[in-house]
Amino acid sequence: MTLKTTLLLAAIATAGLAAPSLAEDEYNVSTGFSLEGAPLALRGVDAVALSTLNAVAEGDAAHVVEHDGVAYYFASEITAEKFTADPDAYIPQYGGFCAFAVAIGKKLDGDPRYADIVDGKLYLFVNAAVFAKYKENPEETLRKAEETWPSIHHKAADSL
């Protein structure tokens, strides 16, 4: 840990705030935080509805589950319970970053409105134009993303 990071964490701790999670480098999270201080994933969209039905259902802070330092909101207690039972079945691939961007070595925002489910896995894309480009050759995009992800997984998005 660098001296600058240590000082920042110390300043936050002495201010009475929770230290920020380092999940921002591993997961695509919003700038917002849950009441518990965890960064918010999927823009607050219900991960179970999105990954099983490809439906954008707004989550509610009343149904929040924290997993791996990241908060997920759900539309109901039922979907929150399903997520809790098997989070990996519902979390988007590549930490929720755009799969097309990952294929070219970048971490860009994944928008739940532009999602695809392939072999039971959820993939997000940054916008309609990129999603259309992905649809031209999804197998190749996902193959490249799978090859590239290990080399960028633990890197900050702004360093790529």
Side-chain angles (χ1 to χ4, degrees):
M1 190 177 315
T2 67
L3 178 59
K4 186 176 180 180
T5 303
T6 303
L7 292 173
L8 175 63
L9 292 175
I12 291 169
T14 58
L17 301 173
S21 169
L22 299 179
E24 290 88 352
D25 293 339
E26 307 298 319
Y27 294 96
N28 181 31
V29 293
S30 303
T31 55
F33 291 88
S34 68
L35 292 175
E36 293 77 26
L40 183 60
L42 285 173
R43 299 180 182 185
V45 169
D46 186 318
V48 174
L50 187 60
S51 63
T52 58
L53 305 171
N54 204 1
V56 176
E58 290 300 319
D60 186 322
H63 308 292
V64 63
V65 175
E66 189 175 322
H67 174 72
D68 204 17
V70 178
Y72 294 85
Y73 286 176
F74 296 91
S76 71
E77 188 62 33
I78 293 169
T79 55
E81 288 172 2
K82 284 183 179 184
F83 181 87
T84 300
D86 188 8
D88 291 334
Y90 305 106
I91 294 174
Q93 300 302 296
Y94 316 123
F97 291 102
C98 171
F100 193 89
V102 168
I104 59 171
K106 303 287 184 191
K107 286 182 174 177
L108 300 178
D109 185 30
D111 187 331
R113 295 176 299 167
Y114 308 104
D116 197 15
I117 301 168
V118 178
D119 296 329
K121 296 179 181 179
L122 176 64
Y123 299 92
L124 303 180
F125 300 88
V126 69
N127 59 33
V130 168
F131 188 61
K133 186 71 175 163
Y134 153 77
K135 286 298 213 175
E136 291 174 11
N137 194 348
E139 297 84 11
E140 180 66 11
T141 299
L142 296 181
R143 184 190 64 74
K144 286 181 181 177
E146 198 63 27
E147 288 175 1
T148 305
W149 181 242
S151 66
I152 68 171
H153 180 205
H154 299 292
K155 293 183 179 177
D158 61 3
S159 73
L160 300 172

